[in-house]
Amino acid sequence: MKIKRLLDIAKESPGFGQKIKQARERSGKSFEELFKETNLGERMWRSIENIESEDPKFHKCSHVTDSMIRRIESALGIDLGIDFNKNFMDKDNPTLHIEE
């Protein structure tokens, strides 16, 4: 039996989708290549790239996981600067302190 510890940590990252889109375009990689490297299909890529868009034509992904971010960074050779492993104090629950 595997037991996982799941933490729901949200980080603000203005321009996140746009950064990914620009890096993808600079990379010159096709969605097929990116799928092979990340296991994220074109619809998911477009959803992430347009996550901040108000345009209803874009399917909205409800969340982007740490694993997805790392696979995207690896495939595009970038660092998005998002670190979920830093120690933090939850402002809504000051007794919660997580160290990794």
Side-chain angles (χ1 to χ4, degrees), residues 5 18-19 26 28 40 51 60 70 80 83 96:
R5 179 179 70 164
Q18 191 62 33
K19 290 175 191 173
R26 279 193 310 270
L40 299 173
I51 201 165
K60 297 290 186 185
R70 301 304 158 232
L80 293 166
D83 185 358
L96 176 62

Side-chain angles (χ1 to χ4, degrees), residues 36-81:
K36 288 177 183 175
E37 294 181 42
T38 64
N39 202 31
L40 299 173
E42 181 176 349
R43 184 173 178 186
M44 180 57 78
W45 274 91
R46 292 202 186 276
S47 177
I48 293 169
E49 290 177 356
N50 294 288
I51 201 165
E52 294 144 334
S53 173
E54 298 298 322
D55 191 332
K57 75 178 180 182
F58 292 112
H59 165 77
K60 297 290 186 185
C61 66
S62 60
H63 65 280
V64 180
T65 66
D66 187 45
S67 172
M68 292 165 72
I69 292 168
R70 301 304 158 232
R71 288 181 279 156
I72 291 168
E73 288 176 325
S74 177
L76 297 176
I78 61 172
D79 180 355
L80 293 166

